[in-house]
Amino acid sequence: MKHKNQLTMISINALKSGDTVITNYAGAEKEGKILQIDHEDKKVLVATSDNNEFWYDLDNLYPIHLSEAELLKLQFHKDEAASSNGSHLYVRGPFSVRLYTEGHKPLLELHYRDETRGLNEPITLNELQNHYYAMTNFHLE
């Protein structure tokens, strides 16, 4: 599972409990969920899909780029009728993510009830999870 995110450093301040990341232990990469963050020692406790819990240094954690495949895994569905003119709308209940083609400003819009956030840079899965939580008060899993 080699990720194109390999060179992307992850900031401890961008991580929250419940976020999904890729762990690297002895060259083996696995997706996992953050359970705890130790800001003092800069270590993160992650539970991987095989139910192992381990403390990781930041240089062994990688973000997951937000993509259609990741949105579909999170139970979003593509609204074909509302997807047009170079944008794609993904909906999960009252929350939606609109992805625009590169070069468009904003690059993506997050919408929940009466709040819309326009973002001009690509985001990672954990950043989407943090926006989702801030907007809905629920974890996105």
Side-chain angles (χ1 to χ4, degrees):
M1 180 191 321
K2 279 286 176 206
H3 282 269
K4 52 187 165 194
N5 317 326
Q6 282 269 288
L7 301 176
T8 307
M9 276 298 290
I10 201 161
S11 166
I12 197 163
N13 296 323
L15 298 175
K16 299 198 179 346
S17 292
D19 285 357
T20 305
V21 294
I22 297 295
T23 63
N24 182 334
Y25 180 73
E29 294 185 348
K30 294 181 182 169
E31 190 171 299
K33 181 182 291 197
I34 295 175
L35 301 177
Q36 208 175 324
I37 301 164
D38 182 338
H39 289 273
E40 192 173 313
D41 290 336
K42 296 194 181 329
K43 291 188 179 291
V44 179
L45 181 62
V46 180
T48 53
S49 53
D50 52 10
N51 291 325
N52 284 333
E53 293 181 11
F54 190 77
W55 285 96
Y56 291 88
D57 292 317
L58 289 178
D59 56 357
N60 289 315
L61 294 178
Y62 305 101
I64 300 168
H65 284 299
L66 186 62
S67 65
E68 177 174 343
E70 293 301 328
L71 288 169
L72 296 175
K73 275 191 347 192
L74 290 167
Q75 314 298 306
F76 280 84
H77 71 273
K78 188 173 184 178
D79 185 336
E80 295 291 350
S83 296
S84 62
N85 298 336
S87 76
H88 300 283
L89 183 67
Y90 299 89
V91 179
R92 178 178 165 164
F95 192 93
S96 66
V97 177
R98 183 175 295 276
L99 302 175
Y100 292 96
T101 54
E102 196 152 328
H104 188 278
K105 297 283 186 197
L107 188 58
L108 69 147
E109 284 181 343
L110 308 177
H111 183 79
Y112 178 71
R113 296 192 176 151
D114 61 347
E115 183 178 358
T116 299
R117 296 182 180 187
L119 305 172
N120 293 322
E121 299 290 328
I123 63 172
T124 59
L125 177 55
N126 67 292
E127 289 170 325
L128 173 64
Q129 290 173 308
N130 295 337
H131 280 290
Y132 187 93
Y133 183 78
M135 294 170 80
T136 68
N137 287 322
F138 292 97
H139 287 287
L140 178 61
E141 300 184 50

